[in-house]
């Protein structure tokens, strides 16, 4: 089985270094689509040779080959809804039918972003909506949360704890389902013990889908949240290791998860694609808990939960070398995967 990678690139300047990693030059080989600056596009769904992109009051159906907008589904916000929204301190979430017309509106604190320029990835799994978002207007902390959107109130909501150890300063990129887990890909400020000079580092976090929360005052918090450094780097024998530590995009395959990374070094116009085994990710996350025989390991008592809350970072990296590296005037910004492609 082979996989085809669709990579969307954005302009940068040119720079080249020697490497034994296969490289590609996409400077003159990519097509581009242009959208309005206020569309605030987000990737919604990939189905075969088409993708759905969400914009302001619209969804774009985009063909990959050729790269073109097939159709734009629009639903302008009514004056009545705008007036109602300005009176409230909550955001609104629209339940969209299969023809993309809003059918139901409900309070969306913690579910919908409070501003159109906020990147808040989401995932539906079972009856729950998982999202990485600020819990309310007064907060700037992005938390990893889960809620049944059809239930009123926040009594059933689970989230990461507030504070520096779990998701402080986090920029979320993608949420992916992985059997009994939900994986969160993000970047955050590097810790004191990590490589010198790295301003931000890539991470992968996970929670269990069957997590029911802690006890006492922590009953709204995950008992299964842990995170691990995500490394995509070229190990140099006679030179320093080249890290691609800026995570730009993530795409899920059947057995592998692909990440598009950039180098943060000034003047270095390079990007890379790395792949990580789903099974290896699960094993690494389970290693943080005492009971590793569960379908999805989590804290079993208050003592273990307290320790995991205060020490969620697994020190061992999930590390791999790039599948290929791109040097040129562009850098990777999005990646999609189409598997079961038959080569000639």
């Amino acid at each position: 089985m082979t996989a085809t990678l669709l990579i969307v690139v954005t302009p940068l300047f040119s720079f080249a270094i020697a490497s034994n990693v296969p490289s590609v030059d996409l400077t003159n080989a990519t097509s581009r689509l242009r959208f309005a600056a206020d569309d605030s596009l987000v990737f919604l769904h990939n189905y075969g040779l088409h993708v759905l992109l969400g914009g302001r009051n619209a969804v774009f159906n985009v063909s990959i080959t050729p790269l073109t907008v097939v159709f734009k589904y629009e639903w302008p916000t009514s004056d009545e809804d705008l007036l109602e929204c300005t009176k409230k301190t909550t955001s609104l979430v629209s339940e969209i039918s299969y023809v993309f017309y809003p059918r139901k509106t409900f309070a969306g604190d913690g579910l919908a972003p409070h501003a159109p320029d906020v990147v808040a990835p989401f995932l539906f799994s079972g009856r729950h909506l998982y999202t990485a978002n600020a819990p309310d207007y007064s907060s700037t902390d992005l938390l990893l949360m889960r809620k049944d959107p059809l239930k009123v109130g926040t009594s059933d909501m689970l989230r990461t704890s507030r504070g520096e150890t779990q998701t402080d300063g986090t920029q979320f990129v993608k949420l992916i389902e992985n059997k009994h887990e939900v994986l969160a890909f993000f970047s955050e400020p590097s810790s004191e013990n990590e490589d010198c000079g790295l301003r931000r580092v890539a991470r992968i976090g996970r929670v269990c889908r069957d997590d029911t929360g802690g006890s006492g005052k922590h009953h709204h918090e995950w008992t299964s949240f842990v995170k691990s450094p995500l490394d995509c780097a070229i190990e140099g024998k006679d030179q320093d290791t080249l890290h691609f530590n800026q995570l730009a995009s993530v795409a899920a395959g059947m057995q592998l998860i692909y990440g598009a990374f950039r180098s943060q070094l000034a003047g270095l116009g390079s990007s890379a694609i790395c792949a990580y085994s789903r099974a290896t990710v699960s094993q690494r996350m389970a290693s943080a808990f005492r009971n590793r025989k569960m379908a999805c390991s989590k804290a079993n008592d208050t003592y273990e939960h307290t320790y995991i809350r205060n020490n969620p970072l697994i020190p061992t990296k999930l590390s791999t070398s790039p599948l290929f590296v791109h040097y040129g005037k562009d850098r990777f910004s999005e990646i999609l995967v189409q598997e079961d492609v038959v080569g000639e």
Side-chain angles (χ1 to χ4, degrees):
M1 180 177 67
T2 59
T4 297
L5 305 181
L6 169 66
I7 305 164
V8 181
V9 295
T10 54
L12 194 64
F13 36 82
S14 178
F15 192 93
I17 61 174
S19 172
N20 58 359
V21 177
S23 63
V24 293
D25 186 352
L26 302 177
T27 304
N28 300 312
T30 57
S31 300
R32 291 177 173 85
L33 290 177
R34 296 188 180 275
F35 298 86
D38 62 348
D39 267 327
S40 302
L41 291 180
V42 295
F43 172 72
L44 298 178
H45 185 60
N46 173 27
Y47 61 104
L49 296 178
H50 294 77
V51 296
L52 293 181
L53 301 178
R56 184 185 293 271
N57 297 329
V59 169
F60 299 90
N61 187 355
V62 178
S63 167
I64 297 176
T65 307
L67 188 60
T68 182
V69 176
V70 178
F71 199 81
K72 179 181 179 181
Y73 307 90
E74 296 184 86
W75 59 89
T77 305
S78 67
D79 293 338
E80 181 181 354
D81 287 339
L82 284 174
L83 180 61
E84 183 70 15
C85 190
T86 57
K87 294 179 181 179
K88 295 185 176 181
T89 58
T90 60
S91 53
L92 298 177
V93 176
S94 292
E95 179 187 347
I96 310 302
S97 70
Y98 64 94
V99 291
F100 302 104
Y101 288 102
R103 297 188 305 177
K104 184 177 181 180
T105 301
F106 50 88
D109 273 351
L111 302 181
H114 298 115
D117 58 344
V118 174
V119 178
F122 62 91
L123 170 71
F124 268 109
S125 179
R127 70 179 188 276
H128 289 115
L129 174 64
Y130 295 78
T131 182
N133 204 359
D136 50 58
Y137 274 109
S138 62
S139 175
T140 58
D141 296 330
L142 298 183
L143 306 180
L144 178 58
M145 295 178 283
R146 184 192 74 189
K147 189 183 185 307
D148 183 342
L150 298 183
K151 288 187 176 180
V152 178
T154 59
S155 61
D156 69 318
M157 180 178 286
L158 280 186
R159 57 173 175 78
T160 46
S161 64
R162 300 174 187 264
E164 297 182 358
T165 58
Q166 293 206 334
T167 55
D168 183 59
T170 297
Q171 295 175 353
F172 284 92
V173 175
K174 186 79 171 182
L175 302 181
I176 290 176
E177 191 170 352
N178 189 35
K179 291 186 177 179
H180 306 285
E181 310 165 318
V182 170
L183 305 178
F185 294 82
F186 56 93
S187 65
E188 66 180 2
S190 59
S191 68
E192 295 179 357
N193 298 325
E194 293 181 290
D195 295 325
C196 178
L198 298 181
R199 298 186 299 273
R200 299 189 67 84
V201 291
R203 302 274 197 236
I204 177 173
R206 78 81 138 125
V207 292
C208 295
R209 294 173 56 200
D210 63 351
D211 198 327
T212 57
S215 59
K217 65 179 181 180
H218 302 303
H219 68 282
H220 279 309
E221 298 180 9
W222 301 101
T223 63
S224 58
F225 176 78
V226 287
K227 59 185 178 181
S228 172
L230 194 63
D231 196 37
C232 179
I234 301 175
E235 299 286 346
K237 294 182 179 180
D238 301 322
Q239 56 186 356
D240 293 336
T241 299
L242 175 58
H243 292 276
F244 299 90
N245 56 296
Q246 288 188 332
L247 181 60
S249 179
V250 175
M254 293 293 292
Q255 305 295 332
L256 299 173
I257 299 172
Y258 300 85
F261 295 81
R262 307 168 186 163
S263 171
Q264 74 169 12
L265 296 179
L268 186 60
S270 60
S271 301
I273 300 295
C274 277
Y276 305 87
S277 163
R278 285 178 176 267
T280 300
V281 169
S282 293
Q283 293 169 4
R284 180 62 51 81
M285 297 303 174
S287 68
F289 299 91
R290 294 200 301 262
N291 186 352
R292 304 175 187 177
K293 297 181 180 180
M294 305 169 64
C296 185
S297 299
K298 59 182 74 67
N300 285 329
D301 52 47
T302 302
Y303 175 81
E304 187 176 15
H305 186 205
T306 300
Y307 179 82
I308 289 296
R309 286 182 70 253
N310 296 329
N311 303 275
L313 181 62
I314 301 172
T316 307
K317 294 180 179 179
L318 277 165
S319 182
T320 187
S321 298
L323 297 178
F324 60 83
V325 176
H326 164 61
Y327 309 107
K329 296 181 180 180
D330 300 311
R331 59 181 183 176
F332 297 160
S333 59
E334 291 288 343
I335 178 174
L336 299 175
V337 175
Q338 178 66 44
E339 294 189 319
D340 295 323
V341 178
V342 179
E344 296 182 357

